[in-house]
Amino acid sequence: MIRLGVIGAGYWGPNLIRNFASLKNVTLEKIADLDLAVLDKIKPEYPNTKFTQDADELFDSDIDAICVATSAPTHYELAKKALLAEKHVFCEKPLTLKSEEARELVELAEKKDRRLMVGHLMLYHPAIRKLKEFIDSGKLGEVFYVNSMRVNLGIARSNENALWSLAPHDISIILYLFGSSLPVGVSATGKDFLTKGVEDIVFASLFFNGNQMAHTRVSWLDPEKIRRVKVTGSRGIAIFDDVGKDSVVKFHEDWIEPKEAGDFTYHKSKTPGIFELDKVEPLKLECEHFAECVIQGKKPLTDGQNGADVVSILERAEESLKDKGAYKSL
């Protein structure tokens, strides 16, 4: 059994709390949040759990692991305190706001022999696993590029731009699909419409060795909710739309075969193949994975290094964003 504490019961915290509390190998020992009203709201649901406004109580306790579900600027300090207190740590994305801080946490976790896992939720989604399966099996042929879109009308932020708020999901997906290899460079453009200096829409391109690239568009200023990942290869195109009742992956056996002297042969299918997915909540799979890694001493799929890699890319993309889309090497 893992004795778990959670810091942060606001926006995303209740979802993590609910899923961790449902696991048979986890006991939810204590929940901390600065806002007493937030704690009072969820107290009736967890009568066997203790509540506090002082997060230090978790660090000083005998619990085994701490879940950090607070705002991004607090992640580094809280995760560091937890690791120094010999606790395993699950930290929501992004791991930190600075790459040197992320690397410090990775080194500290290794030194303390504790699991450090980051909440890159989409890597536990059956659809993303299916896309990875298509790539690894060769079904797509040679992968050319990945295109993702994560847009909606809201929730607008004033303390972090769309890049840092939304793109960690897509960047983690891209790294996973490309086998976790880091891009060699990045370019990003965007615009601040609502709050000066805080970009509401961002377009980011990642460039990899082997003539591969990826592109993501993120925004909270779009009239239509779209969450889509598209992988284009030399033998087909796979698409996942994460909006709607039916969660499926479509495979279009459409591709263009280069011939000589600039000539091409076009292969087009009449209807795409439909691949249904397991009806399971990705967040539950993520929480189960963390508990399993703590109990078995395994390396998490989305470990601290994965989190640090995403932060490094976000940092360089931010530099490009402020430099009007200039290419930045990694």
Side-chain angles (χ1 to χ4, degrees):
M1 294 293 294
I2 298 172
R3 294 165 295 179
L4 179 76
V6 178
I7 303 175
Y11 171 66
W12 191 245
N15 296 317
L16 286 161
I17 291 168
R18 171 176 54 83
N19 277 280
F20 275 123
S22 72
L23 303 183
K24 294 181 179 179
N25 55 3
V26 173
T27 58
L28 193 57
E29 297 286 330
K30 188 171 288 190
I31 298 172
D33 197 287
L34 292 173
D35 192 334
L36 185 59
V38 168
L39 296 177
D40 289 339
K41 183 178 180 180
I42 64 172
K43 273 183 180 179
E45 300 178 52
Y46 307 99
N48 298 320
T49 300
K50 297 179 181 179
F51 295 83
T52 179
Q53 290 177 273
D54 185 4
D56 286 340
E57 290 184 19
L58 278 68
F59 305 133
D60 297 333
S61 71
D62 60 354
I63 61 177
D64 304 304
I66 290 177
C67 169
V68 177
T70 53
S71 60
T74 66
H75 288 178
Y76 166 68
E77 180 183 357
L78 293 173
K80 183 176 180 178
K81 282 185 176 180
L83 289 170
L84 288 172
E86 310 284 344
K87 313 300 184 187
H88 302 280
V89 176
F90 176 100
C91 184
E92 260 310 315
K93 58 81 185 171
L95 177 57
T96 64
L97 297 181
K98 296 180 180 179
S99 58
E100 62 264 29
E101 292 177 344
R103 290 191 293 269
E104 181 185 345
L105 293 180
V106 171
E107 293 172 0
L108 184 57
E110 185 175 350
K111 179 181 178 181
K112 295 291 186 179
D113 191 24
R114 290 297 179 265
R115 309 292 81 73
L116 173 59
M117 179 169 152
V118 185
H120 292 156
L121 175 63
M122 292 306 296
L123 270 60
Y124 300 89
H125 199 299
I128 303 304
R129 298 290 181 90
K130 179 62 70 173
L131 294 179
K132 178 66 169 171
E133 179 185 314
F134 287 165
I135 292 172
D136 292 345
S137 67
K139 185 177 181 66
L140 279 163
E142 178 189 355
V143 176
F144 293 151
Y145 68 93
V146 174
N147 180 276
S148 68
M149 187 182 302
R150 187 174 302 272
V151 300
N152 196 14
L153 190 63
I155 301 173
R157 278 79 162 175
S158 59
N159 60 342
E160 64 178 1
N161 61 22
L163 175 71
W164 284 90
S165 180
L166 303 175
H169 287 301
D170 301 278
I171 292 173
S172 66
I173 290 171
I174 290 164
L175 293 182
Y176 177 63
L177 295 179
F178 279 141
S180 297
S181 60
L182 286 174
V184 295
V186 61
S187 173
T189 57
K191 191 64 180 174
D192 53 344
F193 298 103
L194 303 180
T195 303
K196 185 174 177 57
V198 180
E199 289 81 7
D200 305 290
I201 183 169
V202 175
F203 303 86
S205 296
L206 283 64
F207 305 93
F208 293 79
N209 281 322
N211 202 33
Q212 294 176 317
M213 73 169 293
H215 181 82
T216 184
R217 170 186 167 188
V218 291
S219 173
W220 52 63
L221 202 58
D222 196 286
E224 185 178 6
K225 183 176 182 178
I226 301 173
R227 294 177 180 175
R228 180 184 301 138
V229 180
K230 182 186 302 181
V231 185
T232 298
S234 61
R235 289 293 183 273
I237 303 168
I239 303 173
F240 170 54
D241 278 305
D242 193 18
V243 175
K245 295 181 180 179
D246 298 323
S247 187
V248 298
V249 170
K250 296 181 180 180
F251 182 83
H252 299 259
E253 203 167 349
D254 300 348
W255 46 286
I256 301 173
E257 181 182 1
K259 302 187 80 173
E260 55 186 49
D263 192 15
F264 301 93
T265 299
Y266 294 84
H267 301 266
K268 296 185 178 181
S269 57
K270 293 182 179 179
T271 56
I274 305 296
F275 295 80
E276 295 187 0
L277 306 167
D278 295 335
K279 308 300 184 193
V280 59
E281 187 176 1
L283 186 56
K284 183 173 184 179
L285 295 178
E286 184 179 50
C287 293
E288 287 177 342
H289 182 66
F290 176 67
E292 180 182 292
C293 288
V294 170
I295 292 171
Q296 300 181 13
K298 299 195 314 182
K299 174 184 174 182
L301 171 64
T302 53
D303 65 353
Q305 186 58 56
N306 177 248
D309 289 343
V310 170
V311 171
S312 294
I313 294 169
L314 287 168
E315 259 186 350
R316 297 301 276 165
E318 178 76 16
E319 293 175 15
S320 175
L321 190 60
K322 302 307 181 186
D323 200 10
K324 301 184 184 301
Y327 179 89
K328 302 294 180 179
S329 299
L330 274 91

